[in-house]
Amino acid sequence: MKKSVFAAAAMLGAFALVATGCAGGAAPGAGGNGGGGGDDVIKVGFAQTGSESGWRAANTESMKKAFSAENGFELIFNAADNKQEAQISAVRNFINQGVDAIVIAPITVDGWDDVLKEAKDAGIPVILEDRTVSASEDLYASWVGLDFEQEGRTAGEWVKENFDGKGANLVVLEGTTGSSAALDRATGFNEAIDGTDINVLDSQTGDFTRDGGKKVMEGYLQKYGKDINVLFAHNDDMGLGALDAIKAAGLTPGKDIQIVTIDAVKDGMTALANGEFNFIVECNPLLGDKAAELVKAVVAGDEVEKRTIVEDQSFTQEQAAEVLDSRPY
Ligand code: GZL
């Protein structure tokens, strides 16, 4: 696609709930050196984290569906196997290919300043989806994602409501170390249980994977056994891996050890409906349409909101049973 030179303009940051337009100008770095098929096709490089969880599979499907040829895109997709260096080099490749825009689901918050500056210098706008970065906001055009801190807070409020005053022992399966999802969920959760008598026995990363959750839970069970009353897993997949370990230890998940997780993917909601999980906070992975809308607007030099938060909800066992068959992912 040919690009006109966009007037450089600072983006006015604005916090938006479910995407509302606000003042702004051409995105940082807009007006790159072009690329892609015909005049109107937008060539986009998408740097995905990898394929670590059911949530990631649903997010990838949503992104590929939105950035389709029929929607006017040529998509170059890269999954970085949850490795930050591989993801950064994928972004560098997109820059070298002269794409029209780059979308990133950043594995961790840090390490992005240099490559984002390279994209800006090349005149290629960057949109973040899902997780966030610590780099300056003027290095990317917009971000669409979820309120991870609120997700953690909602999970913590459920634990407080059900376990405060009982001297309960809790263990935590953390998400990928250094990811905004893990950092912010921990912040929200810890704020919610602060001041209660809930005792956090241990907190280690399972890297958002089922295998990671199973291995860490096996260690917890060897160390603490029946003393564990509650498990908070930063995502469904680690909770699902922990189920195997809990059953192998002769305990009943959902009863001997109550489990609260975040995501609300199909397998997690099934475990909730059948009583193995006790509460799930949703984290909506269907971000593709909004990300595609932002890319089209930014490449056209239109105004875009700096941040778009997609709404989440939460589910009890009864609610999961009611909605399970109608869930979109
Ligand atoms: C959250 C996302 C997290 C999910 C995990 O938006 O980044 O990464 O909670 C996924 O399931 O692996």
Side-chain angles (χ1 to χ4, degrees), residues 49 52-56 130-131 146 148 151 176 181 185 207-208 234-237 262-263 283-284 287:
T49 60
E52 72 279 3
S53 64
W55 189 97
R56 190 60 55 194
D130 179 20
R131 300 177 191 171
L146 300 308
F148 300 135
E151 293 170 351
T176 300
R185 285 171 183 170
D207 210 17
F208 281 133
H234 283 188
N235 79 332
D236 291 356
D237 281 64
I262 298 175
D263 274 353
C283 176
N284 190 333
L287 306 175

Side-chain angles (χ1 to χ4, degrees), residues 15-33:
F15 184 88
L17 266 183
V18 194
T20 49
C22 66
N33 46 16

Side-chain angles (χ1 to χ4, degrees), residues 46-50 52 55-56 59 63 78 80 82-88 91 102-113 115-116 126-135 140 142-146 148 176-184 208 287:
F46 173 37
Q48 181 58 293
T49 60
E52 72 279 3
W55 189 97
R56 190 60 55 194
N59 178 250
M63 293 293 286
N78 178 279
N82 241 11
K83 293 181 176 61
Q84 174 79 354
E85 279 320 303
Q87 192 175 40
I88 289 172
V91 172
I102 294 171
V103 180
I104 308 171
I107 296 170
T108 59
V109 290
D110 294 330
W112 288 99
D113 297 72
V115 74
L116 291 178
V126 173
I127 302 283
L128 302 180
E129 70 101 13
D130 179 20
R131 300 177 191 171
T132 53
V133 299
S134 57
Y140 56 89
S142 189
W143 166 79
V144 51
L146 300 308
F148 300 135
T176 300
T177 302
S179 68
S180 60
L183 293 167
D184 295 351
F208 281 133
L287 306 175

Side-chain angles (χ1 to χ4, degrees), residues 233-241 261-265 268-269 277 280:
H234 283 188
N235 79 332
D236 291 356
D237 281 64
M238 292 189 293
L240 291 163
T261 69
I262 298 175
D263 274 353
V265 294
M269 291 290 274
F277 284 178
I280 296 185

